[in-house]
Amino acid sequence: MNKICLAHSLISKRADGIIEIETNSNHEFSLSDVKETTEAVGELTGGKKAPLLIMAGSLSAVSNEARKFMATEESLKYSIAEAFVINTITQRILLNFYLKFDKPPIPTQGFTDKAEAIAWLKKYLTNP
């Protein structure tokens, strides 16, 4: 299995081992959405950690409860690093808030360019 389609996201395992999460536009992610995404990532990785490339859909957002959960060990159990590709100033503000106040315990960075995000994530691949 290389892809899982959820109501709010398409999650794919790339040939290089990076997990790509493409979120729907105009969706506010709830706690249950984030938990469902975490489990789908675990299915694709076989329960192992992998770098995650999160492609934020335009006008997508995350509830406060979901954002706080995203920075927990439980949410990040299958992630070794996370790169968010963001499209709007609102998403940049939310990401900065997440990084500064929720402080995810793994390397996490925001990008506006997908290629730059992938290049950054490749240094976290365990079996390149």
mmCIF file with all atom_site columns, all heavy atoms in Angstrom, residues 101-121:
data_model
loop_
_atom_site.group_PDB
_atom_site.id
_atom_site.type_symbol
_atom_site.label_atom_id
_atom_site.label_alt_id
_atom_site.label_comp_id
_atom_site.label_asym_id
_atom_site.label_entity_id
_atom_site.label_seq_id
_atom_site.pdbx_PDB_ins_code
_atom_site.Cartn_x
_atom_site.Cartn_y
_atom_site.Cartn_z
_atom_site.occupancy
_atom_site.B_iso_or_equiv
_atom_site.pdbx_formal_charge
_atom_site.auth_seq_id
_atom_site.auth_comp_id
_atom_site.auth_asym_id
_atom_site.auth_atom_id
_atom_site.pdbx_PDB_model_num
ATOM 1   N N   . PHE A 1 101 ? 5.191  28.088 20.501 1.00 0.00 ? 101 PHE A N   1
ATOM 2   C CA  . PHE A 1 101 ? 4.456  27.806 21.731 1.00 0.00 ? 101 PHE A CA  1
ATOM 3   C C   . PHE A 1 101 ? 4.188  26.322 21.974 1.00 0.00 ? 101 PHE A C   1
ATOM 4   O O   . PHE A 1 101 ? 4.176  25.875 23.117 1.00 0.00 ? 101 PHE A O   1
ATOM 5   C CB  . PHE A 1 101 ? 3.144  28.597 21.763 1.00 0.00 ? 101 PHE A CB  1
ATOM 6   C CG  . PHE A 1 101 ? 3.381  30.072 21.827 1.00 0.00 ? 101 PHE A CG  1
ATOM 7   C CD1 . PHE A 1 101 ? 3.192  30.863 20.701 1.00 0.00 ? 101 PHE A CD1 1
ATOM 8   C CD2 . PHE A 1 101 ? 3.810  30.674 22.999 1.00 0.00 ? 101 PHE A CD2 1
ATOM 9   C CE1 . PHE A 1 101 ? 3.434  32.224 20.751 1.00 0.00 ? 101 PHE A CE1 1
ATOM 10  C CE2 . PHE A 1 101 ? 4.052  32.040 23.058 1.00 0.00 ? 101 PHE A CE2 1
ATOM 11  C CZ  . PHE A 1 101 ? 3.864  32.818 21.931 1.00 0.00 ? 101 PHE A CZ  1
ATOM 12  N N   . ASP A 1 102 ? 3.953  25.552 20.920 1.00 0.00 ? 102 ASP A N   1
ATOM 13  C CA  . ASP A 1 102 ? 3.691  24.124 21.106 1.00 0.00 ? 102 ASP A CA  1
ATOM 14  C C   . ASP A 1 102 ? 4.980  23.308 21.094 1.00 0.00 ? 102 ASP A C   1
ATOM 15  O O   . ASP A 1 102 ? 5.028  22.223 21.648 1.00 0.00 ? 102 ASP A O   1
ATOM 16  C CB  . ASP A 1 102 ? 2.714  23.617 20.036 1.00 0.00 ? 102 ASP A CB  1
ATOM 17  C CG  . ASP A 1 102 ? 1.370  24.312 20.144 1.00 0.00 ? 102 ASP A CG  1
ATOM 18  O OD1 . ASP A 1 102 ? 0.852  24.418 21.260 1.00 0.00 ? 102 ASP A OD1 1
ATOM 19  O OD2 . ASP A 1 102 ? 0.855  24.765 19.103 1.00 0.00 ? 102 ASP A OD2 1
ATOM 20  N N   . LYS A 1 103 ? 6.022  23.834 20.461 1.00 0.00 ? 103 LYS A N   1
ATOM 21  C CA  . LYS A 1 103 ? 7.368  23.266 20.472 1.00 0.00 ? 103 LYS A CA  1
ATOM 22  C C   . LYS A 1 103 ? 7.418  21.771 20.164 1.00 0.00 ? 103 LYS A C   1
ATOM 23  O O   . LYS A 1 103 ? 7.680  20.950 21.049 1.00 0.00 ? 103 LYS A O   1
ATOM 24  C CB  . LYS A 1 103 ? 8.047  23.560 21.802 1.00 0.00 ? 103 LYS A CB  1
ATOM 25  C CG  . LYS A 1 103 ? 8.190  25.034 22.056 1.00 0.00 ? 103 LYS A CG  1
ATOM 26  C CD  . LYS A 1 103 ? 8.842  25.337 23.378 1.00 0.00 ? 103 LYS A CD  1
ATOM 27  C CE  . LYS A 1 103 ? 8.998  26.834 23.457 1.00 0.00 ? 103 LYS A CE  1
ATOM 28  N NZ  . LYS A 1 103 ? 9.075  27.422 24.675 1.00 0.00 ? 103 LYS A NZ  1
ATOM 29  N N   . PRO A 1 104 ? 7.155  21.386 18.919 1.00 0.00 ? 104 PRO A N   1
ATOM 30  C CA  . PRO A 1 104 ? 7.235  19.961 18.575 1.00 0.00 ? 104 PRO A CA  1
ATOM 31  C C   . PRO A 1 104 ? 8.634  19.417 18.900 1.00 0.00 ? 104 PRO A C   1
ATOM 32  O O   . PRO A 1 104 ? 9.628  20.110 18.679 1.00 0.00 ? 104 PRO A O   1
ATOM 33  C CB  . PRO A 1 104 ? 6.950  19.934 17.071 1.00 0.00 ? 104 PRO A CB  1
ATOM 34  C CG  . PRO A 1 104 ? 7.138  21.333 16.598 1.00 0.00 ? 104 PRO A CG  1
ATOM 35  C CD  . PRO A 1 104 ? 6.896  22.233 17.755 1.00 0.00 ? 104 PRO A CD  1
ATOM 36  N N   . PRO A 1 105 ? 8.716  18.187 19.430 1.00 0.00 ? 105 PRO A N   1
ATOM 37  C CA  . PRO A 1 105 ? 9.998  17.633 19.875 1.00 0.00 ? 105 PRO A CA  1
ATOM 38  C C   . PRO A 1 105 ? 10.855 17.014 18.763 1.00 0.00 ? 105 PRO A C   1
ATOM 39  O O   . PRO A 1 105 ? 11.828 16.326 19.058 1.00 0.00 ? 105 PRO A O   1
ATOM 40  C CB  . PRO A 1 105 ? 9.564  16.567 20.882 1.00 0.00 ? 105 PRO A CB  1
ATOM 41  C CG  . PRO A 1 105 ? 8.240  16.106 20.383 1.00 0.00 ? 105 PRO A CG  1
ATOM 42  C CD  . PRO A 1 105 ? 7.592  17.327 19.791 1.00 0.00 ? 105 PRO A CD  1
ATOM 43  N N   . ILE A 1 106 ? 10.489 17.251 17.517 1.00 0.00 ? 106 ILE A N   1
ATOM 44  C CA  . ILE A 1 106 ? 11.279 16.765 16.383 1.00 0.00 ? 106 ILE A CA  1
ATOM 45  C C   . ILE A 1 106 ? 11.600 17.958 15.485 1.00 0.00 ? 106 ILE A C   1
ATOM 46  O O   . ILE A 1 106 ? 10.926 18.993 15.571 1.00 0.00 ? 106 ILE A O   1
ATOM 47  C CB  . ILE A 1 106 ? 10.525 15.674 15.578 1.00 0.00 ? 106 ILE A CB  1
ATOM 48  C CG1 . ILE A 1 106 ? 9.219  16.234 15.000 1.00 0.00 ? 106 ILE A CG1 1
ATOM 49  C CG2 . ILE A 1 106 ? 10.279 14.431 16.426 1.00 0.00 ? 106 ILE A CG2 1
ATOM 50  C CD1 . ILE A 1 106 ? 8.553  15.338 13.983 1.00 0.00 ? 106 ILE A CD1 1
ATOM 51  N N   . PRO A 1 107 ? 12.593 17.835 14.602 1.00 0.00 ? 107 PRO A N   1
ATOM 52  C CA  . PRO A 1 107 ? 12.863 18.933 13.669 1.00 0.00 ? 107 PRO A CA  1
ATOM 53  C C   . PRO A 1 107 ? 11.620 19.243 12.830 1.00 0.00 ? 107 PRO A C   1
ATOM 54  O O   . PRO A 1 107 ? 11.025 18.336 12.240 1.00 0.00 ? 107 PRO A O   1
ATOM 55  C CB  . PRO A 1 107 ? 14.003 18.395 12.810 1.00 0.00 ? 107 PRO A CB  1
ATOM 56  C CG  . PRO A 1 107 ? 14.656 17.333 13.648 1.00 0.00 ? 107 PRO A CG  1
ATOM 57  C CD  . PRO A 1 107 ? 13.539 16.736 14.456 1.00 0.00 ? 107 PRO A CD  1
ATOM 58  N N   . THR A 1 108 ? 11.226 20.505 12.819 1.00 0.00 ? 108 THR A N   1
ATOM 59  C CA  . THR A 1 108 ? 10.019 20.940 12.112 1.00 0.00 ? 108 THR A CA  1
ATOM 60  C C   . THR A 1 108 ? 10.315 22.291 11.480 1.00 0.00 ? 108 THR A C   1
ATOM 61  O O   . THR A 1 108 ? 10.844 23.178 12.149 1.00 0.00 ? 108 THR A O   1
ATOM 62  C CB  . THR A 1 108 ? 8.830  21.069 13.084 1.00 0.00 ? 108 THR A CB  1
ATOM 63  O OG1 . THR A 1 108 ? 8.653  19.835 13.772 1.00 0.00 ? 108 THR A OG1 1
ATOM 64  C CG2 . THR A 1 108 ? 7.550  21.442 12.364 1.00 0.00 ? 108 THR A CG2 1
ATOM 65  N N   . GLN A 1 109 ? 9.968  22.434 10.211 1.00 0.00 ? 109 GLN A N   1
ATOM 66  C CA  . GLN A 1 109 ? 10.255 23.678 9.520  1.00 0.00 ? 109 GLN A CA  1
ATOM 67  C C   . GLN A 1 109 ? 9.182  23.957 8.481  1.00 0.00 ? 109 GLN A C   1
ATOM 68  O O   . GLN A 1 109 ? 8.559  23.037 7.960  1.00 0.00 ? 109 GLN A O   1
ATOM 69  C CB  . GLN A 1 109 ? 11.633 23.582 8.851  1.00 0.00 ? 109 GLN A CB  1
ATOM 70  C CG  . GLN A 1 109 ? 12.179 24.909 8.411  1.00 0.00 ? 109 GLN A CG  1
ATOM 71  C CD  . GLN A 1 109 ? 13.676 24.834 8.151  1.00 0.00 ? 109 GLN A CD  1
ATOM 72  O OE1 . GLN A 1 109 ? 14.413 24.092 8.786  1.00 0.00 ? 109 GLN A OE1 1
ATOM 73  N NE2 . GLN A 1 109 ? 14.127 25.621 7.199  1.00 0.00 ? 109 GLN A NE2 1
ATOM 74  N N   . GLY A 1 110 ? 8.985  25.231 8.181  1.00 0.00 ? 110 GLY A N   1
ATOM 75  C CA  . GLY A 1 110 ? 8.036  25.647 7.164  1.00 0.00 ? 110 GLY A CA  1
ATOM 76  C C   . GLY A 1 110 ? 8.747  26.107 5.900  1.00 0.00 ? 110 GLY A C   1
ATOM 77  O O   . GLY A 1 110 ? 9.845  26.667 5.965  1.00 0.00 ? 110 GLY A O   1
ATOM 78  N N   . PHE A 1 111 ? 8.109  25.868 4.759  1.00 0.00 ? 111 PHE A N   1
ATOM 79  C CA  . PHE A 1 111 ? 8.668  26.228 3.457  1.00 0.00 ? 111 PHE A CA  1
ATOM 80  C C   . PHE A 1 111 ? 7.549  26.754 2.573  1.00 0.00 ? 111 PHE A C   1
ATOM 81  O O   . PHE A 1 111 ? 6.389  26.406 2.760  1.00 0.00 ? 111 PHE A O   1
ATOM 82  C CB  . PHE A 1 111 ? 9.277  24.996 2.767  1.00 0.00 ? 111 PHE A CB  1
ATOM 83  C CG  . PHE A 1 111 ? 10.418 24.370 3.521  1.00 0.00 ? 111 PHE A CG  1
ATOM 84  C CD1 . PHE A 1 111 ? 10.179 23.427 4.512  1.00 0.00 ? 111 PHE A CD1 1
ATOM 85  C CD2 . PHE A 1 111 ? 11.725 24.744 3.251  1.00 0.00 ? 111 PHE A CD2 1
ATOM 86  C CE1 . PHE A 1 111 ? 11.224 22.859 5.215  1.00 0.00 ? 111 PHE A CE1 1
ATOM 87  C CE2 . PHE A 1 111 ? 12.775 24.181 3.951  1.00 0.00 ? 111 PHE A CE2 1
ATOM 88  C CZ  . PHE A 1 111 ? 12.535 23.235 4.936  1.00 0.00 ? 111 PHE A CZ  1
ATOM 89  N N   . THR A 1 112 ? 7.914  27.553 1.582  1.00 0.00 ? 112 THR A N   1
ATOM 90  C CA  . THR A 1 112 ? 6.954  27.947 0.551  1.00 0.00 ? 112 THR A CA  1
ATOM 91  C C   . THR A 1 112 ? 7.238  27.189 -0.740 1.00 0.00 ? 112 THR A C   1
ATOM 92  O O   . THR A 1 112 ? 6.446  27.245 -1.667 1.00 0.00 ? 112 THR A O   1
ATOM 93  C CB  . THR A 1 112 ? 7.012  29.466 0.283  1.00 0.00 ? 112 THR A CB  1
ATOM 94  O OG1 . THR A 1 112 ? 8.357  29.826 -0.041 1.00 0.00 ? 112 THR A OG1 1
ATOM 95  C CG2 . THR A 1 112 ? 6.547  30.255 1.511  1.00 0.00 ? 112 THR A CG2 1
ATOM 96  N N   . ASP A 1 113 ? 8.363  26.470 -0.796 1.00 0.00 ? 113 ASP A N   1
ATOM 97  C CA  . ASP A 1 113 ? 8.772  25.731 -1.988 1.00 0.00 ? 113 ASP A CA  1
ATOM 98  C C   . ASP A 1 113 ? 8.883  24.239 -1.661 1.00 0.00 ? 113 ASP A C   1
ATOM 99  O O   . ASP A 1 113 ? 9.627  23.847 -0.750 1.00 0.00 ? 113 ASP A O   1
ATOM 100 C CB  . ASP A 1 113 ? 10.120 26.271 -2.481 1.00 0.00 ? 113 ASP A CB  1
ATOM 101 C CG  . ASP A 1 113 ? 10.590 25.584 -3.740 1.00 0.00 ? 113 ASP A CG  1
ATOM 102 O OD1 . ASP A 1 113 ? 10.050 25.910 -4.816 1.00 0.00 ? 113 ASP A OD1 1
ATOM 103 O OD2 . ASP A 1 113 ? 11.481 24.714 -3.639 1.00 0.00 ? 113 ASP A OD2 1
ATOM 104 N N   . LYS A 1 114 ? 8.153  23.415 -2.405 1.00 0.00 ? 114 LYS A N   1
ATOM 105 C CA  . LYS A 1 114 ? 8.132  21.968 -2.155 1.00 0.00 ? 114 LYS A CA  1
ATOM 106 C C   . LYS A 1 114 ? 9.510  21.344 -2.340 1.00 0.00 ? 114 LYS A C   1
ATOM 107 O O   . LYS A 1 114 ? 9.928  20.497 -1.547 1.00 0.00 ? 114 LYS A O   1
ATOM 108 C CB  . LYS A 1 114 ? 7.103  21.302 -3.081 1.00 0.00 ? 114 LYS A CB  1
ATOM 109 C CG  . LYS A 1 114 ? 6.978  19.809 -2.879 1.00 0.00 ? 114 LYS A CG  1
ATOM 110 C CD  . LYS A 1 114 ? 5.905  19.221 -3.792 1.00 0.00 ? 114 LYS A CD  1
ATOM 111 C CE  . LYS A 1 114 ? 5.781  17.716 -3.616 1.00 0.00 ? 114 LYS A CE  1
ATOM 112 N NZ  . LYS A 1 114 ? 4.726  17.151 -4.466 1.00 0.00 ? 114 LYS A NZ  1
ATOM 113 N N   . ALA A 1 115 ? 10.241 21.734 -3.373 1.00 0.00 ? 115 ALA A N   1
ATOM 114 C CA  . ALA A 1 115 ? 11.565 21.157 -3.630 1.00 0.00 ? 115 ALA A CA  1
ATOM 115 C C   . ALA A 1 115 ? 12.524 21.432 -2.466 1.00 0.00 ? 115 ALA A C   1
ATOM 116 O O   . ALA A 1 115 ? 13.309 20.558 -2.080 1.00 0.00 ? 115 ALA A O   1
ATOM 117 C CB  . ALA A 1 115 ? 12.135 21.693 -4.937 1.00 0.00 ? 115 ALA A CB  1
ATOM 118 N N   . GLU A 1 116 ? 12.464 22.630 -1.905 1.00 0.00 ? 116 GLU A N   1
ATOM 119 C CA  . GLU A 1 116 ? 13.311 22.955 -0.754 1.00 0.00 ? 116 GLU A CA  1
ATOM 120 C C   . GLU A 1 116 ? 12.931 22.106 0.455  1.00 0.00 ? 116 GLU A C   1
ATOM 121 O O   . GLU A 1 116 ? 13.793 21.643 1.203  1.00 0.00 ? 116 GLU A O   1
ATOM 122 C CB  . GLU A 1 116 ? 13.183 24.435 -0.398 1.00 0.00 ? 116 GLU A CB  1
ATOM 123 C CG  . GLU A 1 116 ? 13.877 25.357 -1.370 1.00 0.00 ? 116 GLU A CG  1
ATOM 124 C CD  . GLU A 1 116 ? 13.708 26.821 -0.999 1.00 0.00 ? 116 GLU A CD  1
ATOM 125 O OE1 . GLU A 1 116 ? 13.422 27.132 0.177  1.00 0.00 ? 116 GLU A OE1 1
ATOM 126 O OE2 . GLU A 1 116 ? 13.865 27.666 -1.898 1.00 0.00 ? 116 GLU A OE2 1
ATOM 127 N N   . ALA A 1 117 ? 11.643 21.902 0.663  1.00 0.00 ? 117 ALA A N   1
ATOM 128 C CA  . ALA A 1 117 ? 11.165 21.084 1.781  1.00 0.00 ? 117 ALA A CA  1
ATOM 129 C C   . ALA A 1 117 ? 11.661 19.643 1.633  1.00 0.00 ? 117 ALA A C   1
ATOM 130 O O   . ALA A 1 117 ? 12.133 19.033 2.598  1.00 0.00 ? 117 ALA A O   1
ATOM 131 C CB  . ALA A 1 117 ? 9.643  21.127 1.860  1.00 0.00 ? 117 ALA A CB  1
ATOM 132 N N   . ILE A 1 118 ? 11.583 19.101 0.425  1.00 0.00 ? 118 ILE A N   1
ATOM 133 C CA  . ILE A 1 118 ? 12.039 17.729 0.177  1.00 0.00 ? 118 ILE A CA  1
ATOM 134 C C   . ILE A 1 118 ? 13.542 17.617 0.417  1.00 0.00 ? 118 ILE A C   1
ATOM 135 O O   . ILE A 1 118 ? 14.008 16.668 1.056  1.00 0.00 ? 118 ILE A O   1
ATOM 136 C CB  . ILE A 1 118 ? 11.650 17.282 -1.245 1.00 0.00 ? 118 ILE A CB  1
ATOM 137 C CG1 . ILE A 1 118 ? 10.125 17.123 -1.341 1.00 0.00 ? 118 ILE A CG1 1
ATOM 138 C CG2 . ILE A 1 118 ? 12.353 15.985 -1.628 1.00 0.00 ? 118 ILE A CG2 1
ATOM 139 C CD1 . ILE A 1 118 ? 9.599  16.959 -2.752 1.00 0.00 ? 118 ILE A CD1 1
ATOM 140 N N   . ALA A 1 119 ? 14.300 18.584 -0.084 1.00 0.00 ? 119 ALA A N   1
ATOM 141 C CA  . ALA A 1 119 ? 15.756 18.564 0.115  1.00 0.00 ? 119 ALA A CA  1
ATOM 142 C C   . ALA A 1 119 ? 16.087 18.562 1.607  1.00 0.00 ? 119 ALA A C   1
ATOM 143 O O   . ALA A 1 119 ? 16.984 17.835 2.055  1.00 0.00 ? 119 ALA A O   1
ATOM 144 C CB  . ALA A 1 119 ? 16.399 19.754 -0.591 1.00 0.00 ? 119 ALA A CB  1
ATOM 145 N N   . TRP A 1 120 ? 15.373 19.366 2.381  1.00 0.00 ? 120 TRP A N   1
ATOM 146 C CA  . TRP A 1 120 ? 15.600 19.427 3.826  1.00 0.00 ? 120 TRP A CA  1
ATOM 147 C C   . TRP A 1 120 ? 15.244 18.088 4.484  1.00 0.00 ? 120 TRP A C   1
ATOM 148 O O   . TRP A 1 120 ? 15.986 17.593 5.333  1.00 0.00 ? 120 TRP A O   1
ATOM 149 C CB  . TRP A 1 120 ? 14.785 20.572 4.427  1.00 0.00 ? 120 TRP A CB  1
ATOM 150 C CG  . TRP A 1 120 ? 14.962 20.752 5.896  1.00 0.00 ? 120 TRP A CG  1
ATOM 151 C CD1 . TRP A 1 120 ? 16.015 21.342 6.533  1.00 0.00 ? 120 TRP A CD1 1
ATOM 152 C CD2 . TRP A 1 120 ? 14.055 20.335 6.926  1.00 0.00 ? 120 TRP A CD2 1
ATOM 153 N NE1 . TRP A 1 120 ? 15.811 21.314 7.898  1.00 0.00 ? 120 TRP A NE1 1
ATOM 154 C CE2 . TRP A 1 120 ? 14.618 20.711 8.161  1.00 0.00 ? 120 TRP A CE2 1
ATOM 155 C CE3 . TRP A 1 120 ? 12.825 19.698 6.919  1.00 0.00 ? 120 TRP A CE3 1
ATOM 156 C CZ2 . TRP A 1 120 ? 13.987 20.463 9.372  1.00 0.00 ? 120 TRP A CZ2 1
ATOM 157 C CZ3 . TRP A 1 120 ? 12.198 19.455 8.127  1.00 0.00 ? 120 TRP A CZ3 1
ATOM 158 C CH2 . TRP A 1 120 ? 12.776 19.828 9.340  1.00 0.00 ? 120 TRP A CH2 1
ATOM 159 N N   . LEU A 1 121 ? 14.130 17.491 4.085  1.00 0.00 ? 121 LEU A N   1
ATOM 160 C CA  . LEU A 1 121 ? 13.697 16.219 4.678  1.00 0.00 ? 121 LEU A CA  1
ATOM 161 C C   . LEU A 1 121 ? 14.630 15.058 4.343  1.00 0.00 ? 121 LEU A C   1
ATOM 162 O O   . LEU A 1 121 ? 14.781 14.129 5.145  1.00 0.00 ? 121 LEU A O   1
ATOM 163 C CB  . LEU A 1 121 ? 12.279 15.875 4.226  1.00 0.00 ? 121 LEU A CB  1
ATOM 164 C CG  . LEU A 1 121 ? 11.149 16.640 4.881  1.00 0.00 ? 121 LEU A CG  1
ATOM 165 C CD1 . LEU A 1 121 ? 9.829  16.296 4.192  1.00 0.00 ? 121 LEU A CD1 1
ATOM 166 C CD2 . LEU A 1 121 ? 11.071 16.365 6.367  1.00 0.00 ? 121 LEU A CD2 1
#
